[in-house]
Amino acid sequence: MRFAHGDRTDVGRGRPENEDSILVDPEDGLYAVADGMGGHRAGEVASATAIEALKAAFLGGQPVDAAVAAANAAVFAKAAEDAALRGMGTTLTAVALRDSTALLGHVGDSRAYLMRDGAVTQVTDDHSLVEQLVREGRLTPEEAQKHPQRAIITRALGIDANVEVDTYRVDLRAGDRILICSDGLTNMLSDETIAGTLRRHPDPQQAADTLVDMANQAGGDDNITVVILDALSDGGEAPAAEAAAPVAVVPEPALPPEEPEPAEGRRGGVLRSLLLWGLPIVAVVSIAFGAVGWYARRTYYVGLSADRVTLYKGVPGGLLGWQPTVDHETDLTAADLTEADRADLQNGHRFANRSDANKFVERLQQQHEALAGTTTTTTTTTFAGTAVPEAPPTTETTR
Ligand code: MG
């Protein structure tokens, strides 16, 4: 079996930078999409670091799931050693092709789809809050696609020293097509539109270009990345039509076989499944979600809001859907700052706690007064007496 591919990554129309990264390596049979997030350009660094580490580990002989775990370790280490990158994260969905098998490693909400005999199925499960709510029956897939918190992901690379990697194996047949993409595609286009486009364009590059163009036409709110892989018979073009066969997507490792229901009847079975499966899933999601939220909300930064120096709670640009909130505005404006400070605040100057952030504001205030030469009582500034003890970490799940 041989393969053809098409790919494209695009900044979209709603973001200043492209924080997605892409890997297309036909020689080694490795392809991946990573969607980074974090303040300033940290998202870009996170996704690029993940792709680089993935490739290095894979070429070093590691299987794709171990290579994704190595990518996690690389992003986590980089975030730990550089304060400006702290809190960055990325999704990663990788496909390794060998003979006629595709092995997938997956963390986050970048997706892989398989088209076989014209039918398109989603191979990967999103690690996102809305996907969890859909699985629990609390949202329909249509509601999930429009949900304001659809960007919140429950698993990402770079957040913890270890990460659980989902793996899948697809036994390919000639004519199969795999799509890997970031959420900038899937939030803009419905599954039906994506499937129709994949069917209409037999050329993989043309299909990739068309999908990106259509996502941009639909608004292009986010960065858009698409990789398309076509499995071809060694003889040449894929056969136009083949007898229909069931799609063989095998999640690995397989779940243990379901135990028979206990003799006492239904009630016992329902109760047990709730305890064994329901509780742990809810608990794990709540803890992961709460932990990210707690991190995103316990840090502070000082930035500019309509030219006014403002103290924010959170991470510039938000983290995994947790948007920063205004702690308070100060009396200082951008015009009161030196050029260097102004540039510094443009991107948000980050602090581990509120008191450090307040000290920084106090320094800006003193510097402004000194430069203006208006006062000698610089010890009684606006913020000297307003230090408030830090609030305990919160585990709220609403913004
Ligand atoms: Mg995205």
Side-chain angles (χ1 to χ4, degrees), residues 36-92:
M37 53 218 102
H40 323 292
R41 314 185 76 159
E44 218 174 302
V45 176
S47 64
T49 303
I51 291 285
E52 203 176 297
L54 170 85
K55 183 173 176 177
F58 185 77
L59 295 188
Q62 297 195 44
V64 71
D65 54 339
V68 173
N72 174 65
V75 178
F76 184 71
K78 198 159 206 163
E81 74 198 17
D82 185 342
L85 300 176
R86 203 155 294 154
M88 69 179 179
T90 183
T91 72
L92 184 59

Side-chain angles (χ1 to χ4, degrees), residues 20 35 183-184 222:
D20 287 358
D35 178 353
D183 67 340
D222 193 5

